[in-house]
């Protein structure tokens, strides 16, 4: 909603989405280089890249129905039909791409890394499960007519935590395939 054209500082929010997307794509590329030869990590790396792509698409699209300024949109957001209708909106789809990429990517990369880097692997797996749980809580809360603000903030914080963990991991890690983990 803060990225909608005409909102104060919408350029800042869109710009931060572009920078984040490019940063995540760069992290995916480095992760791919470090994990080359590990088939289990390849899927997680693709999911990480999809998260970056989702952020770039978020910056390029806008919500068509803003529940913060439209009572009709707010009411529709709390029905199964309204939620399904949002799947036809590119901005919703880019957000879902980022969500699925981050939840599944953290879990898949976590399981791939657990053999060589148990601490990093477990951390990422836990973050992936928590991100997914927050996403499911969003749906339940929306259908129950409740506010999703807390669940959304928790999901964003957890996803940011995953990006931080990935950044720290990439600074410290060597090639995953060095032990023959594939």
């Amino acid at each position: 909603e803060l990225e909608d054209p005409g909102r104060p500082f919408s350029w800042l929010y869109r710009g931060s989405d572009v920078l984040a997307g490019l940063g995540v794509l760069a992290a995916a590329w480095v992760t791919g280089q470090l994990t080359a030869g590990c088939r289990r990590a390849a899927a997680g790396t693709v999911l990480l890249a999809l998260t970056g792509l989702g952020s770039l698409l978020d910056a390029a699209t806008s919500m068509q129905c803003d529940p913060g300024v439209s009572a009709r949109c707010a009411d529709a957001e709390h029905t199964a039909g309204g939620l399904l209708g949002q799947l036809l909106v590119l901005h919703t789809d880019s957000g879902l791409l980022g969500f699925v990429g981050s939840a599944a990517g953290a879990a898949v990369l976590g399981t791939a890394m657990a053999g060589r880097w148990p601490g990093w692997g477990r951390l990422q797996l836990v973050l992936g499960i928590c991100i997914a749980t927050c996403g499911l809580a969003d749906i339940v809360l929306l259908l129950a007519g409740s506010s999703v603000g807390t669940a959304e903030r928790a999901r964003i914080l957890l996803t940011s935590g995953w990006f931080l963990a990935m950044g720290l991991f990439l600074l410290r890690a060597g090639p995953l395939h060095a032990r023959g983990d594939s």
Side-chain angles (χ1 to χ4, degrees), residues 36-72:
C38 179
R39 290 183 299 270
R40 292 181 295 154
T45 301
V46 168
L47 289 163
L48 177 58
L50 288 177
T51 304
L53 180 62
S55 186
L56 291 173
L57 289 172
D58 270 351
T61 61
S62 296
M63 295 177 72
Q64 291 181 346
C65 194
D66 184 348
V69 296
S70 167
R72 181 185 57 79

PDB file of all heavy atoms in Angstrom, residues 36-72:
ATOM      1  N   ALA A  36      27.644 -25.398  -6.129  1.00  0.00           N
ATOM      2  CA  ALA A  36      27.691 -26.070  -7.432  1.00  0.00           C
ATOM      3  C   ALA A  36      28.002 -27.548  -7.222  1.00  0.00           C
ATOM      4  O   ALA A  36      28.899 -27.913  -6.472  1.00  0.00           O
ATOM      5  CB  ALA A  36      28.740 -25.416  -8.321  1.00  0.00           C
ATOM      6  N   GLY A  37      27.246 -28.382  -7.868  1.00  0.00           N
ATOM      7  CA  GLY A  37      27.440 -29.820  -7.747  1.00  0.00           C
ATOM      8  C   GLY A  37      26.558 -30.464  -6.697  1.00  0.00           C
ATOM      9  O   GLY A  37      26.475 -31.682  -6.628  1.00  0.00           O
ATOM     10  N   CYS A  38      25.911 -29.686  -5.876  1.00  0.00           N
ATOM     11  CA  CYS A  38      25.003 -30.233  -4.855  1.00  0.00           C
ATOM     12  C   CYS A  38      23.574 -30.093  -5.379  1.00  0.00           C
ATOM     13  O   CYS A  38      22.997 -29.010  -5.368  1.00  0.00           O
ATOM     14  CB  CYS A  38      25.157 -29.501  -3.520  1.00  0.00           C
ATOM     15  SG  CYS A  38      24.042 -30.118  -2.247  1.00  0.00           S
ATOM     16  N   ARG A  39      23.036 -31.197  -5.843  1.00  0.00           N
ATOM     17  CA  ARG A  39      21.695 -31.166  -6.451  1.00  0.00           C
ATOM     18  C   ARG A  39      20.625 -30.710  -5.461  1.00  0.00           C
ATOM     19  O   ARG A  39      19.673 -30.049  -5.841  1.00  0.00           O
ATOM     20  CB  ARG A  39      21.357 -32.537  -7.021  1.00  0.00           C
ATOM     21  CG  ARG A  39      22.184 -32.895  -8.242  1.00  0.00           C
ATOM     22  CD  ARG A  39      21.763 -34.230  -8.816  1.00  0.00           C
ATOM     23  NE  ARG A  39      21.920 -35.333  -7.889  1.00  0.00           N
ATOM     24  CZ  ARG A  39      23.002 -36.083  -7.765  1.00  0.00           C
ATOM     25  NH1 ARG A  39      24.051 -35.823  -8.515  1.00  0.00           N
ATOM     26  NH2 ARG A  39      23.045 -37.084  -6.909  1.00  0.00           N
ATOM     27  N   ARG A  40      20.797 -31.070  -4.192  1.00  0.00           N
ATOM     28  CA  ARG A  40      19.785 -30.676  -3.202  1.00  0.00           C
ATOM     29  C   ARG A  40      19.749 -29.170  -3.003  1.00  0.00           C
ATOM     30  O   ARG A  40      18.710 -28.596  -2.714  1.00  0.00           O
ATOM     31  CB  ARG A  40      20.034 -31.371  -1.871  1.00  0.00           C
ATOM     32  CG  ARG A  40      19.793 -32.863  -1.938  1.00  0.00           C
ATOM     33  CD  ARG A  40      20.020 -33.530  -0.604  1.00  0.00           C
ATOM     34  NE  ARG A  40      21.430 -33.397  -0.242  1.00  0.00           N
ATOM     35  CZ  ARG A  40      21.877 -33.399   1.004  1.00  0.00           C
ATOM     36  NH1 ARG A  40      21.052 -33.507   2.010  1.00  0.00           N
ATOM     37  NH2 ARG A  40      23.161 -33.278   1.255  1.00  0.00           N
ATOM     38  N   ALA A  41      20.881 -28.524  -3.138  1.00  0.00           N
ATOM     39  CA  ALA A  41      20.934 -27.077  -2.941  1.00  0.00           C
ATOM     40  C   ALA A  41      20.469 -26.306  -4.171  1.00  0.00           C
ATOM     41  O   ALA A  41      20.068 -25.144  -4.058  1.00  0.00           O
ATOM     42  CB  ALA A  41      22.345 -26.642  -2.573  1.00  0.00           C
ATOM     43  N   ALA A  42      20.481 -26.938  -5.340  1.00  0.00           N
ATOM     44  CA  ALA A  42      20.104 -26.236  -6.574  1.00  0.00           C
ATOM     45  C   ALA A  42      18.666 -25.717  -6.506  1.00  0.00           C
ATOM     46  O   ALA A  42      18.397 -24.572  -6.878  1.00  0.00           O
ATOM     47  CB  ALA A  42      20.295 -27.143  -7.779  1.00  0.00           C
ATOM     48  N   ALA A  43      17.756 -26.532  -6.009  1.00  0.00           N
ATOM     49  CA  ALA A  43      16.353 -26.096  -5.905  1.00  0.00           C
ATOM     50  C   ALA A  43      16.224 -24.933  -4.929  1.00  0.00           C
ATOM     51  O   ALA A  43      15.490 -23.966  -5.190  1.00  0.00           O
ATOM     52  CB  ALA A  43      15.462 -27.255  -5.465  1.00  0.00           C
ATOM     53  N   GLY A  44      16.926 -24.993  -3.819  1.00  0.00           N
ATOM     54  CA  GLY A  44      16.886 -23.898  -2.850  1.00  0.00           C
ATOM     55  C   GLY A  44      17.450 -22.611  -3.419  1.00  0.00           C
ATOM     56  O   GLY A  44      16.940 -21.517  -3.146  1.00  0.00           O
ATOM     57  N   THR A  45      18.481 -22.741  -4.241  1.00  0.00           N
ATOM     58  CA  THR A  45      19.074 -21.566  -4.875  1.00  0.00           C
ATOM     59  C   THR A  45      18.095 -20.937  -5.864  1.00  0.00           C
ATOM     60  O   THR A  45      17.967 -19.707  -5.922  1.00  0.00           O
ATOM     61  CB  THR A  45      20.392 -21.959  -5.585  1.00  0.00           C
ATOM     62  OG1 THR A  45      21.274 -22.507  -4.604  1.00  0.00           O
ATOM     63  CG2 THR A  45      21.043 -20.771  -6.230  1.00  0.00           C
ATOM     64  N   VAL A  46      17.386 -21.760  -6.611  1.00  0.00           N
ATOM     65  CA  VAL A  46      16.364 -21.249  -7.535  1.00  0.00           C
ATOM     66  C   VAL A  46      15.259 -20.545  -6.752  1.00  0.00           C
ATOM     67  O   VAL A  46      14.799 -19.466  -7.141  1.00  0.00           O
ATOM     68  CB  VAL A  46      15.792 -22.384  -8.413  1.00  0.00           C
ATOM     69  CG1 VAL A  46      14.550 -21.941  -9.156  1.00  0.00           C
ATOM     70  CG2 VAL A  46      16.851 -22.898  -9.377  1.00  0.00           C
ATOM     71  N   LEU A  47      14.850 -21.124  -5.634  1.00  0.00           N
ATOM     72  CA  LEU A  47      13.814 -20.491  -4.809  1.00  0.00           C
ATOM     73  C   LEU A  47      14.297 -19.161  -4.242  1.00  0.00           C
ATOM     74  O   LEU A  47      13.522 -18.198  -4.172  1.00  0.00           O
ATOM     75  CB  LEU A  47      13.383 -21.442  -3.688  1.00  0.00           C
ATOM     76  CG  LEU A  47      12.574 -22.655  -4.158  1.00  0.00           C
ATOM     77  CD1 LEU A  47      12.542 -23.736  -3.082  1.00  0.00           C
ATOM     78  CD2 LEU A  47      11.175 -22.237  -4.563  1.00  0.00           C
ATOM     79  N   LEU A  48      15.557 -19.088  -3.851  1.00  0.00           N
ATOM     80  CA  LEU A  48      16.127 -17.824  -3.384  1.00  0.00           C
ATOM     81  C   LEU A  48      16.079 -16.792  -4.504  1.00  0.00           C
ATOM     82  O   LEU A  48      15.683 -15.644  -4.284  1.00  0.00           O
ATOM     83  CB  LEU A  48      17.558 -18.041  -2.895  1.00  0.00           C
ATOM     84  CG  LEU A  48      18.340 -16.820  -2.422  1.00  0.00           C
ATOM     85  CD1 LEU A  48      17.629 -16.115  -1.274  1.00  0.00           C
ATOM     86  CD2 LEU A  48      19.753 -17.226  -2.000  1.00  0.00           C
ATOM     87  N   ALA A  49      16.433 -17.199  -5.719  1.00  0.00           N
ATOM     88  CA  ALA A  49      16.374 -16.280  -6.862  1.00  0.00           C
ATOM     89  C   ALA A  49      14.937 -15.837  -7.141  1.00  0.00           C
ATOM     90  O   ALA A  49      14.694 -14.663  -7.476  1.00  0.00           O
ATOM     91  CB  ALA A  49      16.978 -16.945  -8.102  1.00  0.00           C
ATOM     92  N   LEU A  50      13.976 -16.742  -6.985  1.00  0.00           N
ATOM     93  CA  LEU A  50      12.564 -16.367  -7.184  1.00  0.00           C
ATOM     94  C   LEU A  50      12.119 -15.328  -6.157  1.00  0.00           C
ATOM     95  O   LEU A  50      11.292 -14.465  -6.455  1.00  0.00           O
ATOM     96  CB  LEU A  50      11.671 -17.594  -7.125  1.00  0.00           C
ATOM     97  CG  LEU A  50      11.767 -18.542  -8.315  1.00  0.00           C
ATOM     98  CD1 LEU A  50      10.882 -19.767  -8.093  1.00  0.00           C
ATOM     99  CD2 LEU A  50      11.399 -17.844  -9.614  1.00  0.00           C
ATOM    100  N   THR A  51      12.664 -15.400  -4.957  1.00  0.00           N
ATOM    101  CA  THR A  51      12.364 -14.394  -3.936  1.00  0.00           C
ATOM    102  C   THR A  51      12.841 -13.022  -4.404  1.00  0.00           C
ATOM    103  O   THR A  51      12.126 -12.019  -4.267  1.00  0.00           O
ATOM    104  CB  THR A  51      13.024 -14.773  -2.597  1.00  0.00           C
ATOM    105  OG1 THR A  51      12.580 -16.078  -2.217  1.00  0.00           O
ATOM    106  CG2 THR A  51      12.685 -13.781  -1.517  1.00  0.00           C
ATOM    107  N   GLY A  52      14.053 -12.968  -4.957  1.00  0.00           N
ATOM    108  CA  GLY A  52      14.573 -11.707  -5.497  1.00  0.00           C
ATOM    109  C   GLY A  52      13.743 -11.203  -6.652  1.00  0.00           C
ATOM    110  O   GLY A  52      13.444 -10.004  -6.753  1.00  0.00           O
ATOM    111  N   LEU A  53      13.343 -12.109  -7.538  1.00  0.00           N
ATOM    112  CA  LEU A  53      12.496 -11.735  -8.664  1.00  0.00           C
ATOM    113  C   LEU A  53      11.151 -11.193  -8.178  1.00  0.00           C
ATOM    114  O   LEU A  53      10.640 -10.202  -8.708  1.00  0.00           O
ATOM    115  CB  LEU A  53      12.288 -12.937  -9.590  1.00  0.00           C
ATOM    116  CG  LEU A  53      11.425 -12.712 -10.811  1.00  0.00           C
ATOM    117  CD1 LEU A  53      12.038 -11.666 -11.736  1.00  0.00           C
ATOM    118  CD2 LEU A  53      11.218 -14.018 -11.560  1.00  0.00           C
ATOM    119  N   GLY A  54      10.597 -11.816  -7.145  1.00  0.00           N
ATOM    120  CA  GLY A  54       9.338 -11.331  -6.572  1.00  0.00           C
ATOM    121  C   GLY A  54       9.461  -9.907  -6.064  1.00  0.00           C
ATOM    122  O   GLY A  54       8.547  -9.091  -6.247  1.00  0.00           O
ATOM    123  N   SER A  55      10.588  -9.585  -5.455  1.00  0.00           N
ATOM    124  CA  SER A  55      10.811  -8.226  -4.956  1.00  0.00           C
ATOM    125  C   SER A  55      10.890  -7.230  -6.118  1.00  0.00           C
ATOM    126  O   SER A  55      10.324  -6.127  -6.040  1.00  0.00           O
ATOM    127  CB  SER A  55      12.085  -8.183  -4.119  1.00  0.00           C
ATOM    128  OG  SER A  55      12.256  -6.930  -3.527  1.00  0.00           O
ATOM    129  N   LEU A  56      11.568  -7.605  -7.188  1.00  0.00           N
ATOM    130  CA  LEU A  56      11.644  -6.730  -8.367  1.00  0.00           C
ATOM    131  C   LEU A  56      10.265  -6.517  -8.988  1.00  0.00           C
ATOM    132  O   LEU A  56       9.920  -5.402  -9.382  1.00  0.00           O
ATOM    133  CB  LEU A  56      12.608  -7.312  -9.400  1.00  0.00           C
ATOM    134  CG  LEU A  56      14.081  -7.303  -9.017  1.00  0.00           C
ATOM    135  CD1 LEU A  56      14.905  -8.064 -10.048  1.00  0.00           C
ATOM    136  CD2 LEU A  56      14.599  -5.884  -8.851  1.00  0.00           C
ATOM    137  N   LEU A  57       9.482  -7.575  -9.066  1.00  0.00           N
ATOM    138  CA  LEU A  57       8.126  -7.452  -9.625  1.00  0.00           C
ATOM    139  C   LEU A  57       7.227  -6.620  -8.716  1.00  0.00           C
ATOM    140  O   LEU A  57       6.362  -5.889  -9.199  1.00  0.00           O
ATOM    141  CB  LEU A  57       7.520  -8.829  -9.862  1.00  0.00           C
ATOM    142  CG  LEU A  57       8.114  -9.627 -11.012  1.00  0.00           C
ATOM    143  CD1 LEU A  57       7.556 -11.045 -11.028  1.00  0.00           C
ATOM    144  CD2 LEU A  57       7.856  -8.928 -12.341  1.00  0.00           C
ATOM    145  N   ASP A  58       7.411  -6.736  -7.403  1.00  0.00           N
ATOM    146  CA  ASP A  58       6.645  -5.894  -6.471  1.00  0.00           C
ATOM    147  C   ASP A  58       6.885  -4.416  -6.756  1.00  0.00           C
ATOM    148  O   ASP A  58       5.957  -3.607  -6.707  1.00  0.00           O
ATOM    149  CB  ASP A  58       7.028  -6.185  -5.020  1.00  0.00           C
ATOM    150  CG  ASP A  58       6.195  -7.279  -4.389  1.00  0.00           C
ATOM    151  OD1 ASP A  58       5.203  -7.709  -4.999  1.00  0.00           O
ATOM    152  OD2 ASP A  58       6.546  -7.702  -3.275  1.00  0.00           O
ATOM    153  N   ALA A  59       8.145  -4.076  -7.050  1.00  0.00           N
ATOM    154  CA  ALA A  59       8.482  -2.673  -7.327  1.00  0.00           C
ATOM    155  C   ALA A  59       7.860  -2.196  -8.631  1.00  0.00           C
ATOM    156  O   ALA A  59       7.541  -1.019  -8.777  1.00  0.00           O
ATOM    157  CB  ALA A  59       9.998  -2.502  -7.388  1.00  0.00           C
ATOM    158  N   ALA A  60       7.654  -3.109  -9.568  1.00  0.00           N
ATOM    159  CA  ALA A  60       7.151  -2.739 -10.893  1.00  0.00           C
ATOM    160  C   ALA A  60       5.627  -2.734 -10.983  1.00  0.00           C
ATOM    161  O   ALA A  60       5.069  -2.268 -11.973  1.00  0.00           O
ATOM    162  CB  ALA A  60       7.710  -3.701 -11.940  1.00  0.00           C
ATOM    163  N   THR A  61       4.944  -3.230  -9.956  1.00  0.00           N
ATOM    164  CA  THR A  61       3.481  -3.341 -10.002  1.00  0.00           C
ATOM    165  C   THR A  61       2.857  -2.619  -8.811  1.00  0.00           C
ATOM    166  O   THR A  61       3.534  -2.301  -7.842  1.00  0.00           O
ATOM    167  CB  THR A  61       3.051  -4.819  -9.987  1.00  0.00           C
ATOM    168  OG1 THR A  61       3.510  -5.436  -8.787  1.00  0.00           O
ATOM    169  CG2 THR A  61       3.610  -5.564 -11.199  1.00  0.00           C
ATOM    170  N   SER A  62       1.566  -2.400  -8.886  1.00  0.00           N
ATOM    171  CA  SER A  62       0.830  -1.748  -7.799  1.00  0.00           C
ATOM    172  C   SER A  62      -0.409  -2.562  -7.463  1.00  0.00           C
ATOM    173  O   SER A  62      -0.926  -3.304  -8.294  1.00  0.00           O
ATOM    174  CB  SER A  62       0.374  -0.345  -8.212  1.00  0.00           C
ATOM    175  OG  SER A  62       1.472   0.482  -8.444  1.00  0.00           O
ATOM    176  N   MET A  63      -0.881  -2.377  -6.238  1.00  0.00           N
ATOM    177  CA  MET A  63      -2.140  -3.001  -5.833  1.00  0.00           C
ATOM    178  C   MET A  63      -3.268  -2.371  -6.649  1.00  0.00           C
ATOM    179  O   MET A  63      -3.298  -1.161  -6.832  1.00  0.00           O
ATOM    180  CB  MET A  63      -2.401  -2.764  -4.353  1.00  0.00           C
ATOM    181  CG  MET A  63      -1.401  -3.424  -3.433  1.00  0.00           C
ATOM    182  SD  MET A  63      -1.713  -3.027  -1.701  1.00  0.00           S
ATOM    183  CE  MET A  63      -3.199  -3.976  -1.402  1.00  0.00           C
ATOM    184  N   GLN A  64      -4.187  -3.193  -7.121  1.00  0.00           N
ATOM    185  CA  GLN A  64      -5.327  -2.659  -7.863  1.00  0.00           C
ATOM    186  C   GLN A  64      -6.478  -2.315  -6.927  1.00  0.00           C
ATOM    187  O   GLN A  64      -7.337  -1.524  -7.267  1.00  0.00           O
ATOM    188  CB  GLN A  64      -5.790  -3.663  -8.918  1.00  0.00           C
ATOM    189  CG  GLN A  64      -4.785  -3.830 -10.034  1.00  0.00           C
ATOM    190  CD  GLN A  64      -5.270  -4.799 -11.083  1.00  0.00           C
ATOM    191  OE1 GLN A  64      -6.211  -5.543 -10.884  1.00  0.00           O
ATOM    192  NE2 GLN A  64      -4.601  -4.790 -12.222  1.00  0.00           N
ATOM    193  N   CYS A  65      -6.465  -2.913  -5.763  1.00  0.00           N
ATOM    194  CA  CYS A  65      -7.542  -2.703  -4.808  1.00  0.00           C
ATOM    195  C   CYS A  65      -6.901  -2.564  -3.431  1.00  0.00           C
ATOM    196  O   CYS A  65      -6.452  -3.542  -2.850  1.00  0.00           O
ATOM    197  CB  CYS A  65      -8.506  -3.886  -4.861  1.00  0.00           C
ATOM    198  SG  CYS A  65     -10.074  -3.612  -4.050  1.00  0.00           S
ATOM    199  N   ASP A  66      -6.838  -1.352  -2.923  1.00  0.00           N
ATOM    200  CA  ASP A  66      -6.144  -1.066  -1.665  1.00  0.00           C
ATOM    201  C   ASP A  66      -7.139  -1.106  -0.503  1.00  0.00           C
ATOM    202  O   ASP A  66      -7.989  -0.217  -0.380  1.00  0.00           O
ATOM    203  CB  ASP A  66      -5.482   0.309  -1.766  1.00  0.00           C
ATOM    204  CG  ASP A  66      -4.653   0.658  -0.554  1.00  0.00           C
ATOM    205  OD1 ASP A  66      -4.751  -0.039   0.477  1.00  0.00           O
ATOM    206  OD2 ASP A  66      -3.894   1.642  -0.645  1.00  0.00           O
ATOM    207  N   PRO A  67      -7.048  -2.129   0.365  1.00  0.00           N
ATOM    208  CA  PRO A  67      -7.992  -2.219   1.481  1.00  0.00           C
ATOM    209  C   PRO A  67      -7.830  -1.090   2.493  1.00  0.00           C
ATOM    210  O   PRO A  67      -8.735  -0.843   3.285  1.00  0.00           O
ATOM    211  CB  PRO A  67      -7.673  -3.575   2.116  1.00  0.00           C
ATOM    212  CG  PRO A  67      -6.314  -3.923   1.651  1.00  0.00           C
ATOM    213  CD  PRO A  67      -6.100  -3.231   0.349  1.00  0.00           C
ATOM    214  N   GLY A  68      -6.705  -0.385   2.447  1.00  0.00           N
ATOM    215  CA  GLY A  68      -6.494   0.723   3.374  1.00  0.00           C
ATOM    216  C   GLY A  68      -7.289   1.959   3.023  1.00  0.00           C
ATOM    217  O   GLY A  68      -7.521   2.816   3.872  1.00  0.00           O
ATOM    218  N   VAL A  69      -7.720   2.068   1.758  1.00  0.00           N
ATOM    219  CA  VAL A  69      -8.470   3.255   1.336  1.00  0.00           C
ATOM    220  C   VAL A  69      -9.834   2.925   0.752  1.00  0.00           C
ATOM    221  O   VAL A  69     -10.616   3.834   0.477  1.00  0.00           O
ATOM    222  CB  VAL A  69      -7.662   4.096   0.306  1.00  0.00           C
ATOM    223  CG1 VAL A  69      -6.399   4.644   0.930  1.00  0.00           C
ATOM    224  CG2 VAL A  69      -7.344   3.304  -0.937  1.00  0.00           C
ATOM    225  N   SER A  70     -10.139   1.645   0.578  1.00  0.00           N
ATOM    226  CA  SER A  70     -11.412   1.252  -0.013  1.00  0.00           C
ATOM    227  C   SER A  70     -12.115   0.226   0.868  1.00  0.00           C
ATOM    228  O   SER A  70     -11.591  -0.868   1.099  1.00  0.00           O
ATOM    229  CB  SER A  70     -11.185   0.657  -1.411  1.00  0.00           C
ATOM    230  OG  SER A  70     -12.342   0.014  -1.873  1.00  0.00           O
ATOM    231  N   ALA A  71     -13.317   0.588   1.344  1.00  0.00           N
ATOM    232  CA  ALA A  71     -14.093  -0.337   2.181  1.00  0.00           C
ATOM    233  C   ALA A  71     -14.481  -1.584   1.384  1.00  0.00           C
ATOM    234  O   ALA A  71     -14.480  -2.693   1.921  1.00  0.00           O
ATOM    235  CB  ALA A  71     -15.343   0.359   2.709  1.00  0.00           C
ATOM    236  N   ARG A  72     -14.765  -1.418   0.090  1.00  0.00           N
ATOM    237  CA  ARG A  72     -15.118  -2.560  -0.761  1.00  0.00           C
ATOM    238  C   ARG A  72     -13.948  -3.541  -0.834  1.00  0.00           C
ATOM    239  O   ARG A  72     -14.122  -4.744  -0.708  1.00  0.00           O
ATOM    240  CB  ARG A  72     -15.492  -2.089  -2.168  1.00  0.00           C
ATOM    241  CG  ARG A  72     -15.897  -3.208  -3.107  1.00  0.00           C
ATOM    242  CD  ARG A  72     -16.133  -2.724  -4.530  1.00  0.00           C
ATOM    243  NE  ARG A  72     -15.003  -2.039  -5.140  1.00  0.00           N
ATOM    244  CZ  ARG A  72     -13.929  -2.652  -5.665  1.00  0.00           C
ATOM    245  NH1 ARG A  72     -13.837  -3.948  -5.639  1.00  0.00           N
ATOM    246  NH2 ARG A  72     -12.960  -1.948  -6.198  1.00  0.00           N
TER     247      ARG A  72
END
